[in-house]
Amino acid sequence: MTTRVLIADDDALLRAGLAVVVGTDPGLALVGEAADGLDAVRLTQEHRPDVVLMDVRMPGVDGIEATRRIVASGSPARVLVLTTFADDDYVAQALRAGASGFLLKRVAPERLLEAIRTVAQGDALLDPAVTRAVVARSLTAVPTTADPRLVAALTEREREVLALVGEGRSNPEIAALLTLAESTVQTHVKRILAKLGARDRAQAVVVAYRSGLVSP
């Protein structure tokens, strides 16, 4: 099944580069390009992509507000934020707006393609280089703590998996570290999300930090 991708970035050169990368994967199809957040929202409604590659710093309606509008509309599209700096406060805001993952713009092409596929499957992918800084900022901005009963309801193995998710580990990495099949890790992640009431891994990471399971 082909994964439909929309690119939103005000830098025409970067959009062109991302389009080339997306075009190298036969399992992906570029369905549109947006130069600002307003266009990103409109084109998401029009073309119904599976994944939106979203820059956060754009003129007019920025990537944060665009992400918020896309999520609020009930669109099944997953937003993957691309950022220049690991400690960009905009990314923490995008996470709270409903983004499903984030990567640095300097990421290798193969890593970007992996992230698009992962996010499209509903698993999300959090770049380890950004996870701690972004979640720490998110926690500072929203100081409320998670209900400890949520994490207490997890099995010991599920807490191990959640802790590694909180470190920004991908499913293959978690599988290797815990000597599990990747399909088993996927099952654990799905159960964790269900028990925490989290939309995706990004929200689960925030719960992991707020509950003290993982320290910033």
Side-chain angles (χ1 to χ4, degrees):
M1 183 176 178
T2 301
T3 297
R4 297 163 60 80
V5 180
L6 175 71
I7 297 172
D9 198 298
D10 63 328
D11 186 327
L13 186 59
L14 183 58
R15 286 201 311 273
L18 291 172
V20 169
V21 173
V22 170
T24 64
D25 191 320
L28 305 179
L30 181 63
V31 297
E33 297 182 27
D36 58 43
L38 196 59
D39 265 351
V41 175
R42 179 179 61 81
L43 293 176
T44 296
Q45 295 172 339
E46 182 178 336
H47 297 298
R48 301 183 64 80
D50 300 299
V51 177
V52 179
L53 297 181
M54 184 76 76
D55 181 27
V56 286
R57 301 188 180 194
M58 292 186 289
V61 174
D62 62 16
I64 299 166
E65 179 59 26
T67 298
R68 186 177 294 112
R69 293 184 188 185
I70 289 171
V71 172
S73 73
S75 169
R78 298 279 176 164
V79 177
L80 179 60
V81 171
L82 300 180
T83 180
T84 303
F85 306 105
D87 61 349
D88 194 339
D89 184 55
Y90 281 83
V91 184
Q93 295 179 49
L95 178 64
R96 296 194 299 274
S100 295
F102 39 82
L103 287 174
L104 290 174
K105 286 186 176 181
R106 64 173 180 265
V107 68
E110 58 272 18
R111 179 68 166 170
L112 175 61
L113 294 175
E114 177 192 357
I116 293 172
R117 290 190 293 267
T118 302
V119 168
Q121 293 169 0
D123 290 334
L125 189 145
L126 312 179
D127 192 322
V130 228
T131 299
R132 289 185 180 276
V134 166
V135 174
R137 284 176 178 267
S138 181
L139 292 176
T140 301
V142 186
T144 56
T145 57
D147 187 339
R149 290 173 296 183
L150 293 176
V151 173
L154 302 179
T155 65
E156 182 178 351
R157 178 62 85 186
E158 287 168 349
R159 285 195 293 272
E160 289 178 329
V161 171
L162 178 57
L164 292 172
V165 170
E167 294 178 4
R169 303 283 187 173
S170 66
N171 283 354
E173 290 172 333
I174 294 172
L177 288 167
L178 298 181
T179 319
L180 298 171
E182 188 174 342
S183 59
T184 301
V185 174
Q186 291 174 342
T187 298
H188 282 311
V189 171
K190 288 179 180 178
R191 288 176 178 170
I192 289 168
L193 296 183
K195 289 182 179 181
L196 298 181
R199 179 176 182 266
D200 50 39
R201 286 167 90 107
Q203 290 187 355
V205 167
V206 173
V207 173
Y209 275 80
R210 287 180 176 172
S211 66
L213 184 65
V214 179
S215 300

